[in-house]
Amino acid sequence: MRSNHVAFDARMLPEARAIGLEFLEQPTACTVDERVFVHPPLSEALLARHVPNTPARTPLCLARTASHPRVKSDPFPPDSAIGKWRDEMLSKPNAPAGKHIGEDFFYVQDMREKSGISLGVADGVGGWVESGVDPSLFSQALMYHAHRYSKAAWPGEPEVDPTQEYEEREQVEGWELTPLECLESAYGGVLRERAVLAGSSTACVMTLNASNGILRAANLGDSGFLVIRASSVIHQQRSQTHFFNCPKQLSKLPTSQKRFSRACVDQPSDADLHEMKLRHGDIIIAYTDGLSDNVFPAEMVAICSLVARQSQLQRRTIPVTGERSGEQTVEDIERSRPWQSA
């Protein structure tokens, strides 16, 4: 769960400390990039009343204090479209994780005609709990809509048979979907989702093109991914933050509540984009800050090396039946792919 803080101009530090001494039991304040962070967090109303010079557009990452209105929300029912998809995702590859699955979510989706894979992770901002909002709804809905848009699309230009006539090639169904376009479409789906009254989430969406090994990614906030090649991290996506402990995030605010008018609302277009060519054996790890804040990249490499060695031992003994006659080993199948999943 993420804690969020009200930020205001550093010149008001004396006033901030005065408010803290008056209203908080053990206030602390620190300055980062000319902004002051007070913990425990102060409400917007408290700042406006006692620090009149607070900038009008002070970013409030999230309403977390008791003074903000509560917006009641319930989990997606198991028989709803998102609820069914959520439970299906949690059953792969392991058994369901239990009743409470946390605020993060993910998706992995084969793209049109198995031309590639689309995958992503989202980290619901936990501070919404204090306002009566289930943070997992936003992240689950975001990943659901990302999967929905990506399954009918191509990771690159649609594959066509060059021997066909032009008119026949024009009839190829589907369209190219970049990670940024996927994120934009998924965010639009969340904004239209009636069951999601409010919430925020970071997000990282990627596509892997099976024909050329190109990885493309769009990352917003402090989620991200890294690529391991030959026991070395060759790329790690940088995080995006407004200030300490306040990452960039997609948000949906209650339309009837004016108190949230100064919350951070970033757009998919603010995401960092990345493209690179993968090689056979590359390992891609998509993560939220729950992993990156607790496991160093070198430790991720060590863990992946152990898993890879164990997987190699298993592949030597488990044949996989292919479409053609005879048996095909897992190694034979994976040689046709430009990446390796961990």
Side-chain angles (χ1 to χ4, degrees), residues 94-335:
N94 302 313
K99 293 183 178 180
H100 182 67
I101 56 176
E103 296 150 4
D104 299 1
F105 212 73
F106 70 101
Y107 80 96
V108 180
Q109 176 63 49
D110 283 331
M111 302 188 75
R112 193 175 192 90
E113 298 184 10
K114 297 191 181 298
S115 57
I117 294 176
S118 178
L119 69 153
V121 292
D123 181 3
V125 178
W128 280 103
V129 170
E130 299 297 332
S131 298
V133 173
D134 182 349
S136 68
L137 298 185
F138 190 102
S139 57
Q140 290 176 19
L142 186 68
M143 296 291 94
Y144 167 77
H145 287 291
H147 123 274
R148 186 170 65 86
Y149 282 105
S150 61
K151 67 180 179 180
W154 302 84
E157 290 191 14
E159 297 179 0
V160 296
D161 185 350
T163 63
Q164 291 179 328
E165 296 294 333
Y166 179 78
E167 291 77 10
E168 294 177 313
R169 283 182 281 170
E170 282 291 294
Q171 295 177 3
V172 174
E173 296 181 356
W175 60 91
E176 178 182 0
L177 186 71
T178 68
L180 177 58
E181 291 169 339
C182 183
L183 188 59
E184 290 173 337
S185 299
Y187 182 44
V190 175
L191 295 180
R192 295 187 298 270
E193 192 67 52
R194 294 182 178 180
V196 181
L197 301 178
S200 303
S201 178
T202 64
C204 179
V205 173
M206 293 180 286
T207 61
L208 310 177
N209 193 319
S211 64
N212 57 20
I214 295 296
L215 176 150
R216 294 192 291 184
N219 184 73
L220 183 78
D222 56 3
S223 294
F225 71 97
L226 58 77
V227 179
I228 299 174
R229 177 178 297 166
S231 299
S232 299
V233 176
I234 63 171
H235 175 77
Q236 181 171 17
Q237 190 64 31
R238 73 178 185 91
S239 61
Q240 296 177 318
T241 59
H242 288 287
F243 47 83
F244 175 72
N245 206 30
C246 180
K248 287 189 176 182
Q249 55 200 261
L250 301 175
S251 300
K252 182 177 183 178
L253 308 179
T255 56
S256 61
Q257 306 294 351
K258 295 182 179 179
R259 288 177 179 266
F260 295 94
S261 60
R262 285 160 58 188
C264 289
V265 181
D266 298 298
Q267 300 300 319
S269 57
D270 296 321
D272 284 338
L273 307 181
H274 181 72
E275 180 175 321
M276 64 181 296
K277 187 173 180 63
L278 300 175
R279 296 179 184 175
H280 175 69
D282 286 353
I283 299 175
I284 302 99
I285 301 178
Y287 54 78
T288 64
D289 65 337
L291 177 68
S292 58
D293 287 350
N294 295 282
V295 182
F296 291 111
E299 295 173 324
M300 296 186 201
V301 171
I303 293 171
C304 288
S305 297
L306 292 174
V307 173
R309 281 199 291 268
Q310 182 179 6
S311 178
Q312 288 173 358
L313 292 176
Q314 293 176 347
R315 285 201 296 266
R316 291 173 183 172
T317 58
I318 302 178
V320 177
T321 302
E323 294 182 357
R324 61 179 184 267
S325 60
E327 289 188 338
Q328 194 176 18
T329 66
V330 176
E331 289 95 328
D332 293 334
I333 295 175
E334 290 195 344
R335 285 193 190 100

Side-chain angles (χ1 to χ4, degrees), residues 47-69:
L47 281 175
R49 190 176 347 135
H50 295 276
V51 188
N53 294 326
T54 301
R57 296 186 62 82
T58 296
L60 176 62
C61 253
L62 182 345
R64 184 168 186 256
T65 60
S67 64
H68 287 87

